[in-house]
Amino acid sequence: MMQVVTTRCRWGAGMIMLVWLLLSGAAQAQDAPPKRELRGVWIASVANIDWPSRPGLTADQQRNEYRRMLDRQQRTGINAVFVQVRPAADAFYRSGLEPWSKWLMGQQGKDPGYDPLPFLIDEAHKRGMEFHAWFNPYRASQDTLTRRLAATHAYRQHPEWFLRYGGKLLFNPGLPEVRQRITEVILDVVRRYDIDGVHFDDYFYPYPEAGQTLHDEAAFAQFNPDHLTLADWRRQNVNLLIEGLNREIHATKRWVKFGISPFGVWMNRSAHPEGSDTRAGQPTYANLYADTRLWLQKGWIDYIVPQLYWSSNFRLAPYPVLVEWWSRNHFGRHLYIGQAPYRMLENTRGDTTWRNPRELMRQIRLNRNYPTEVSGSVFFSSKSLLANPLHVTDSLQQNAFRYPALVPAMPWLDAVPPRPAQQLVLVRTPPAVTLTWQPGPTAADGDDARYFVVYRFAEGETPSPDDPRHILALVPRTAYAPTLIDTTALAGLEYAYYVTAVDRLHNESAPVHVVTRKGEVVVAQAPQPVSPTVPTLPTPVPPTPQPATDVKVKTKTEAGTIKKKTKLKKRRKGFFGRLFGG
């Protein structure tokens, strides 16, 4: 039997939450892995780094490659993908504004015969992964050979919008028309596709190159009413884009996140009192004119992923120094760390610590030493992670990411949990336990459950709601009643199963629960009735739910005759019932 705690006091919502927090603290103290942690991977399309593997593949080949990639990343423990859909003023989706990317079919503007983006999104969602659409805002071409650009490329209509620098064609960030065009392109994707986030990487103004000058003098003279210095004016141009995009994205779809992955050093302390104790050569504030710290202070972005691609022992920018700095400077927005498994594939002499197979795992353990500040990691890139450098992917799968994790919630976007699941039905027929349930009605903010979390507690286990070692599965919502078949339940052992509903911004509902015993059918029901406006989904499980009772069915065979004895018994609210309000 499970050990339960009895009490005579009345448990209100406040007491339930207090116990929840106390138990969460106990789980932390016992070194439980994090229940909430973003585990992301970048999937780069530029130059066919990750997907598709080469231009010119058929639609089926492209789809099969992507499915295999996501399957392997899912086994690793990844719960979010950051897919590059606009690498250079082109599109990996059907667009009326920009041409098809040349990295799809080998020629810019050539139609692949289908729209890849709905497929890319759906496959991620099927696997319980968030999908962040990754845009490069200012890069227009990887070279300056404009004759190769498609007729629908923006350069063909507005060559005055562009600058040449470092052998590339770039949008001029100082032009209001450019900011308007970039915003229009991104909002087009936000409106038409079911993405979870809009994502930028580190390319704003170009990285400085020796002996080259960025010739934006005309825009500086024409569009500088505040008479700012050149550096401040450039920063203002990027600020205007970021602030405006934040406003427009959330006005279009309030649940779509906006995040940025900058170069890992904002400023060195030697040049700015608020900077980090580093000696980086290309800080974002001074060299790329991207004031990422300001964007966090102003709440213009929902998350930041600084690219900390250095080892713990790298003298100019040590990983621990930068994690500590960002932990103090993310201003309540989510901080994920950009991790570099690709460095473990390099034969570098500048940062030899990457030859140590334990370095990346050491970095992840350090991240978790900031449990309220660092909310996860994103790995560059998918191809590198799948290569399993120095067996680090094995270590993730078997250790750091062994247990599932929910993506952290963003209360400034949505703090309303979905309605609990209903009509939870359990059937134990050795060798398996089958659970089915119905989604609850729509929540007050209009959100439905996106997926469900199934927890399992065995007899004698100490309950801890935030310990992911008790999570049996994350079950996506489908057109049919959600179903989970547990084949790992041991015969003769009692279990309690809890099911919670989670919305697309990962707010988690109160649970419903059911307890099983050997040879029994148990029926449980969610606290509130099903709304008449919500259709009931088909349930493949035969027992009919009954309110607030346990139903025991015993079967005995005598001389070819089957006799059944049914016993109705009132459920007693044990510790779990009071804790979760069920």
Side-chain angles (χ1 to χ4, degrees), residues 311-327:
S311 77
S312 302
N313 300 315
F314 187 63
R315 292 183 301 104
L316 301 181
Y319 185 90
V321 169
L322 283 163
V323 170
E324 192 277 333
W325 186 88
W326 282 104
S327 75

Side-chain angles (χ1 to χ4, degrees), residues 421-435:
Q422 297 183 334
Q423 301 177 31
L424 175 61
V425 177
L426 180 149
V427 176
R428 184 165 195 168
T429 307
V433 173
T434 300
L435 296 169

Side-chain angles (χ1 to χ4, degrees), residues 281-457:
Q282 304 272 20
T284 63
Y285 179 88
N287 289 54
L288 307 181
Y289 308 101
D291 193 353
T292 53
R293 187 172 180 270
L294 176 71
W295 305 342
L296 291 164
Q297 284 179 299
K298 297 288 189 181
W300 292 343
I301 54 178
D302 298 305
Y303 66 84
I304 194 160
V305 193
Q307 297 174 19
L308 305 191
Y309 295 167
W310 306 286
S311 77
S312 302
N313 300 315
F314 187 63
R315 292 183 301 104
L316 301 181
Y319 185 90
V321 169
L322 283 163
V323 170
E324 192 277 333
W325 186 88
W326 282 104
S327 75
R328 291 186 288 105
N329 287 275
H330 65 98
F331 300 99
R333 292 313 198 219
H334 282 184
L335 168 61
Y336 314 130
I337 304 300
Q339 315 277 176
Y342 79 92
R343 298 296 306 275
M344 306 177 81
L345 295 167
E346 295 178 339
N347 186 20
T348 177
R349 296 182 179 180
D351 195 355
T352 57
T353 303
W354 285 113
R355 300 175 188 173
N356 186 336
R358 292 185 289 273
E359 173 60 17
L360 190 63
M361 298 302 293
R362 186 161 52 203
Q363 293 186 0
I364 292 172
R365 286 194 297 271
L366 178 64
N367 296 349
R368 290 177 176 178
N369 286 339
Y370 297 87
T372 61
E373 306 299 335
V374 179
S375 298
S377 300
V378 184
F379 299 90
F380 189 84
S381 65
S382 181
K383 184 177 182 179
S384 300
L385 200 59
L386 295 180
N388 197 17
L390 303 181
H391 299 285
V392 70
T393 310
D394 292 338
S395 296
L396 291 173
Q397 181 175 344
Q398 297 166 14
N399 296 292
F401 294 171
R402 178 180 176 183
Y403 298 100
L406 278 63
V407 173
M410 291 184 172
W412 58 90
L413 295 182
D414 177 16
V416 178
R419 298 285 175 83
Q422 297 183 334
Q423 301 177 31
L424 175 61
V425 177
L426 180 149
V427 176
R428 184 165 195 168
T429 307
V433 173
T434 300
L435 296 169
T436 60
W437 60 92
Q438 297 282 350
T442 300
D445 63 350
D447 287 350
D448 293 314
R450 187 70 172 265
Y451 62 99
F452 301 89
V453 186
V454 180
Y455 302 81
R456 188 183 72 184
F457 298 94

Side-chain angles (χ1 to χ4, degrees), residues 169-188:
L169 196 65
L170 309 171
F171 282 93
N172 185 345
L175 300 179
E177 297 95 332
V178 163
R179 291 194 293 273
Q180 181 179 349
R181 176 56 176 261
I182 293 170
T183 301
E184 184 181 7
V185 167
I186 292 170
L187 291 182
D188 175 56

Side-chain angles (χ1 to χ4, degrees), residues 428-435 456 472 484-491 495 497:
R428 184 165 195 168
T429 307
V433 173
T434 300
L435 296 169
R456 188 183 72 184
L472 190 62
L484 176 69
I485 300 176
D486 178 13
T487 60
T488 63
L490 300 177
Y495 294 97
Y497 293 87

